[in-house]
Amino acid sequence: MPVKTTVDDTGVVRKVVLVGATGSACVIYTHGATITSWISQGKERLFLSKQAVINGSKAIRGGIPVVFRKLPQHGFARTSTWEFLGHKDSIDGVHARFLLRETKETMSSEWPYKFRLTLTVFLSESSLKVGLMVTNMDEVNIEFTSLLHTYLRTTNINDTELVGLSGCKYVDKILGGSDNSDKEEPLVVTKSEDRVYANAPDLLTVKVKGEKEIITVDKSGFKDYVFWNPWSELAKGMSDFGDSEYQEMLCVEAGAVSAPIVLEPGKEWEGFTTLTVESQ
């Protein structure tokens, strides 16, 4: 059975599990349309904090949350309940779709527009492709930024390398938004990092020394990448994140954050990120 769902007492779908023919699997909670697990070739590929809260009271720490906002905060999409639209099987894998639209709460907030967000998840044997479509249903332009906040699992952050950003300029948010550029590869984490790479190359590679597999991260539609790890000092201040869990994760996030997207009435915008497990 390619799709399993968990419903609450009212019949609303709360969790969707996609199961591939070759043993791959993916778990999506309708709270935030957050992907919390991706198993490929027998291994978990996404990081989910052991202290993550998944009862709907706050955003889920880990996996792939949907960030959507105009304001500096991560926005309402990751804490809203999305509608499960169903799934479709194909020879290559299984698709699932989720929908978020305006509510009385969003209309009365600081983002009072009519909209549709559609999240598409495609699971295959060795890849997970996630797409976000934004549709302007209002009569005025809407302006937004967005991210697919991807937490990749790693066995050891000290041995983890990111390749593909050599020579690229970035804004260092830890240093108050100062501009910098990477001159060497691979990129490794040795301290708290929060970088925005504007107009970055689409294809990046995450490697862990000594392992036989790599994960490629590819994007389309999105122009930017965010590179993030809280390291020990920030991890201690997060109630839903273990003090030492920074050693087990690396965020490589496809997004549109360096400049807001302006969408005219009736228009659509779409961005994708694709994670693929490959042998090295």
Side-chain angles (χ1 to χ4, degrees):
M1 186 175 181
V3 175
K4 303 175 183 178
T5 59
T6 301
V7 300
D8 63 15
D9 293 340
T10 65
V12 176
V13 175
R14 297 301 182 188
K15 183 171 73 171
V16 177
V17 180
L18 307 181
V19 180
T22 57
S24 61
C26 178
V27 178
I28 310 105
Y29 280 82
T30 55
H31 177 65
T34 303
I35 301 169
T36 59
S37 174
W38 169 42
I39 295 174
S40 177
Q41 301 179 24
K43 294 181 181 180
E44 177 60 66
R45 306 295 177 171
L46 297 180
F47 166 84
L48 179 69
S49 173
K50 295 181 180 66
Q51 298 178 200
V53 178
I54 57 175
N55 62 9
S57 63
K58 63 184 299 182
I60 297 173
R61 176 67 67 182
I64 309 180
V66 179
V67 174
F68 179 80
R69 84 284 192 189
K70 179 182 177 182
L71 303 175
Q73 295 84 7
H74 279 343
F76 55 84
R78 68 176 188 156
T79 55
S80 299
T81 299
W82 294 55
E83 178 185 357
F84 175 48
L85 298 180
H87 74 281
K88 180 181 180 181
D89 301 330
S90 71
I91 191 172
D92 297 321
V94 57
H95 295 76
R97 295 173 66 239
F98 301 82
L99 174 68
L100 182 66
R101 65 183 76 196
E102 74 278 352
T103 64
K104 291 182 180 179
E105 289 75 19
T106 62
M107 290 295 289
S108 62
S109 70
E110 296 182 70
W111 210 76
Y113 305 106
K114 297 178 181 179
F115 67 94
R116 300 288 185 273
L117 300 184
T118 305
L119 188 79
T120 302
V121 181
F122 176 55
L123 174 71
S124 64
E125 179 180 2
S126 59
S127 294
L128 181 70
K129 184 175 184 179
V130 186
L132 179 67
M133 177 182 288
V134 183
T135 306
N136 184 356
M137 306 296 291
D138 217 307
E139 297 178 353
V140 297
N141 290 356
I142 62 173
E143 184 176 310
F144 63 90
T145 56
S146 184
L147 278 170
L148 294 175
H149 196 328
T150 305
Y151 288 75
L152 295 174
R153 173 169 291 280
T154 179
T155 53
N156 187 341
I157 190 62
N158 297 308
D159 290 333
T160 304
E161 303 174 341
L162 180 63
V163 178
L165 292 171
S166 178
C168 297
K169 294 183 178 180
Y170 65 90
V171 172
D172 192 325
K173 296 176 69 176
I174 300 293
L175 299 178
S178 60
D179 292 332
N180 297 269
S181 63
D182 280 319
K183 298 179 181 179
E184 298 181 359
E185 284 202 326
L187 179 60
V188 297
V189 183
T190 58
K191 58 184 177 62
S192 179
E193 295 284 8
D194 192 356
R195 304 181 180 187
V196 177
Y197 289 83
N199 300 308
D202 289 335
L203 184 63
L204 304 180
T205 302
V206 178
K207 302 180 178 181
V208 179
K209 294 178 182 178
E211 294 194 359
K212 297 179 180 180
E213 298 169 335
I214 62 173
I215 292 181
T216 61
V217 184
D218 200 1
K219 64 177 174 65
S220 62
F222 293 112
K223 292 185 177 181
D224 311 323
Y225 272 117
V226 170
F227 173 72
W228 182 74
N229 182 292
W231 211 247
S232 57
E233 58 268 35
L234 295 183
K236 293 177 181 178
M238 295 156 52
S239 62
D240 56 353
F241 191 94
D243 289 355
S244 62
E245 286 188 318
Y246 70 91
Q247 301 176 55
E248 305 170 23
M249 51 72 63
L250 177 66
C251 281
V252 183
E253 314 165 34
V257 292
S258 61
I261 293 172
V262 179
L263 199 59
E264 297 177 351
K267 299 296 185 180
E268 296 178 341
W269 172 91
E270 194 165 17
F272 293 90
T273 187
T274 303
L275 312 175
T276 305
V277 178
E278 299 180 358
S279 300
Q280 64 170 334

